[in-house]
């Protein structure tokens, strides 16, 4: 198997200049509006008595012809055009803040500075917009150990969340903190180097709580392992007053393609076959249960429902609201 170049930044297309992305040419009609600089962004919902705030770390352009596997470029373009999109597409990098009594819980930390200027690295601004300082975070839940989910843990070699315990699947810790695994499984060495840069300082400081089975992280917040995208990819399920929200990590990257066809994989999958199987199973369960899910790479805020469709599944984003909350009459 040829060595796969999995680093997202190496596959980004276009130029980022003054917040405007200029994409490479393509044959499909471009129905997408131009991208302009937006800055910090937040959006909050209530799950029972827990306030959950989506935090934007920005967006990045992705060349799906390079990234998606198990599908032709022609079919990719047709599916994108049906969604009024064209290649390359913007991928959101979403993180989520949970206010749980005296604990402030952050699900994923964005990419931090790892992708370079103009690409991501907006989480701290979004956190400030939500009225929270990094020092106030008590728990960080990593859906998996990839750069755009744990890159914000450190900056210039310093721990960004000094008072937080990092919760993460043990298989990911074991895998990504051992550089020898890169050659064993033919996976890009840069992911291992970035894990050592971003996650290992927390390990060395005794601030990592890893799990290898379904575990209650905090009252009402349960972690479960769903390997495939990475060995220790995790879901986190929040339950409060009869309501449920599950943070599902990277089982989905491109809604217009992978919801209709869950068999399509992406270059970042450590085990593509397991990732595709896990996605199909998770979509089926989540669609049947109808509970809310939170997704890192859906368009911000990345909260919604997965619904069975005539062809695969649909994404139904949460209803937008912007007013002072009052009792519904």
């Amino acid at each position: 198997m040829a060595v796969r170049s999995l680093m997202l930044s190496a596959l980004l297309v276009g130029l980022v200049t003054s917040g405007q992305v200029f994409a490479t040419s393509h044959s499909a009609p471009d129905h997408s509006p131009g991208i302009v600089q937006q800055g910090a962004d937040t959006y909050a919902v209530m799950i029972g008595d827990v306030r959950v705030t989506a935090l934007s770390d920005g967006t990045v352009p992705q060349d799906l012809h390079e990234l998606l596997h198990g599908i032709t470029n022609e079919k990719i373009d047709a599916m994108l055009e049906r969604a009024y999109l064209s290649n390359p597409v913007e991928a959101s990098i979403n993180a989520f803040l949970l206010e749980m009594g005296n604990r402030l819980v952050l699900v994923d930390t964005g990419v931090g500075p790892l992708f370079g200027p103009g690409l991501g690295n907006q989480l701290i601004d979004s956190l400030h917009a939500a009225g929270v300082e990094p020092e106030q975070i008590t728990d960080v839940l990593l859906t998996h150990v990839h750069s755009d989910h744990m890159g914000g843990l450190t900056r210039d070699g310093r721990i960004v969340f000094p008072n937080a315990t990092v919760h993460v699947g043990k298989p990911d810790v074991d895998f990504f903190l051992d550089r020898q695994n890169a050659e064993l499984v033919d996976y890009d060495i840069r992911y291992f180097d970035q894990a050592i840069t971003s996650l290992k300082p927390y390990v060395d400081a005794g601030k990592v709580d890893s799990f290898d089975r379904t575990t209650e992280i905090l009252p009402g917040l349960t972690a479960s392992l769903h390997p495939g995208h990475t060995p220790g990819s995790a879901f986190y399920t929040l339950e409060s007053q009869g309501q449920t929200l599950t943070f599902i990590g990277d089982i989905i990257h491109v809604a217009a393609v992978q919801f209709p066809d869950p068999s399509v994989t992406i270059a970042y999958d450590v085990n593509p076959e397991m990732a595709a199987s896990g996605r199909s199973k998770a979509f089926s369960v989540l669609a049947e249960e109808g509970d809310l899910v939170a997704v890192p790479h859906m368009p911000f805020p990345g909260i919604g429902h997965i619904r069975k469709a005539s062809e695969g599944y649909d994404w139904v984003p949460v209803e937008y609201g912007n007013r002072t909350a009052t009792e519904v009459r």
Side-chain angles (χ1 to χ4, degrees):
M1 180 172 62
V3 175
R4 292 171 289 161
S5 179
L6 301 178
M7 182 62 188
L8 175 59
S9 59
L11 292 170
L12 298 174
V13 294
L15 299 172
V16 180
T17 306
S18 300
Q20 177 71 42
V21 174
F22 298 94
T24 54
S25 60
H26 45 73
S27 58
D30 186 359
H31 301 293
S32 307
I35 304 301
V36 296
Q37 185 170 343
Q38 303 291 344
D41 207 354
T42 69
Y43 187 76
V45 298
M46 293 299 297
I47 304 298
D49 62 1
V50 178
R51 182 184 178 94
V52 178
T53 304
L55 305 168
S56 175
D57 191 48
T59 68
V60 293
Q62 296 189 106
D63 184 347
L64 300 186
H65 292 172
E66 295 288 337
L67 290 173
L68 295 184
H69 296 166
I71 188 173
T72 65
N73 291 344
E74 291 74 19
K75 188 168 183 181
I76 290 171
D77 289 340
M79 296 172 87
L80 291 178
E81 186 173 4
R82 183 181 178 190
Y84 294 95
L85 298 171
S86 57
N87 192 50
V89 299
E90 288 292 312
S92 289
I93 305 176
N94 305 321
F96 303 92
L97 175 70
L98 285 62
E99 300 176 41
M100 303 182 68
N102 63 349
R103 307 194 76 84
L104 287 177
V105 181
L106 186 62
V107 181
D108 287 337
T109 68
V111 70
L114 295 182
F115 285 176
L119 297 171
N121 201 20
Q122 297 185 46
L123 177 66
I124 298 303
D125 289 341
S126 295
L127 202 58
H128 286 158
V132 175
E133 296 294 329
E135 293 79 9
Q136 294 177 267
I137 299 299
T138 61
D139 301 86
V140 173
L141 315 183
L142 294 181
T143 57
H144 60 293
V145 180
H146 269 168
S147 51
D148 51 329
H149 299 263
M150 58 86 198
L153 284 172
T154 60
R155 184 178 299 273
D156 299 325
R158 295 191 300 272
I159 285 175
V160 172
F161 306 102
N163 298 311
T165 297
V166 176
H167 306 270
V168 58
K170 187 176 185 299
D172 264 17
V173 177
D174 295 342
F175 181 72
F176 284 107
L177 293 186
D178 185 349
R179 296 179 84 252
Q180 295 184 45
N181 287 325
E183 185 174 349
L184 290 176
V185 300
D186 194 20
Y187 203 69
D188 196 321
I189 190 65
R190 286 171 289 189
Y191 278 118
F192 299 83
D193 291 339
Q194 289 169 346
I196 291 169
T197 297
S198 300
L199 179 60
K200 193 171 185 298
Y202 289 80
V203 174
D204 293 342
K207 293 178 174 294
V208 170
D209 179 23
S210 61
F211 52 89
D212 58 8
R213 60 180 62 86
T214 298
T215 303
E216 187 175 57
I217 300 296
L218 295 169
L221 187 59
T222 302
S224 57
L225 291 174
H226 299 264
H229 183 60
T230 64
S233 287
F235 290 4
Y236 297 96
T237 300
L238 169 67
E239 296 184 77
S240 178
Q241 297 182 350
Q243 294 183 301
T244 302
L245 172 63
T246 300
F247 303 86
I248 63 174
D250 277 8
I251 67 166
I252 174 71
H253 287 80
V254 186
V257 177
Q258 290 177 299
F259 276 127
D261 188 354
S263 71
V264 175
T265 60
I266 197 163
Y268 318 130
D269 293 331
V270 174
N271 186 323
E273 293 77 16
M274 188 179 291
S277 174
R279 178 168 36 258
S280 294
K281 180 179 179 180
F283 282 0
S284 176
V285 171
L286 292 166
E288 181 176 354
E289 293 179 347
D291 292 327
L292 275 174
V293 296
V295 195
H297 299 309
M298 289 300 95
F300 186 81
I303 301 174
H305 295 272
I306 296 172
R307 178 178 62 191
K308 191 75 179 71
S310 57
E311 181 181 357
Y313 298 85
D314 285 332
W315 172 246
V316 185
V318 68
E319 183 180 33
Y320 178 75
N322 185 0
R323 62 178 174 82
T324 301
T326 58
E327 183 178 349
V328 178
R329 298 179 181 177

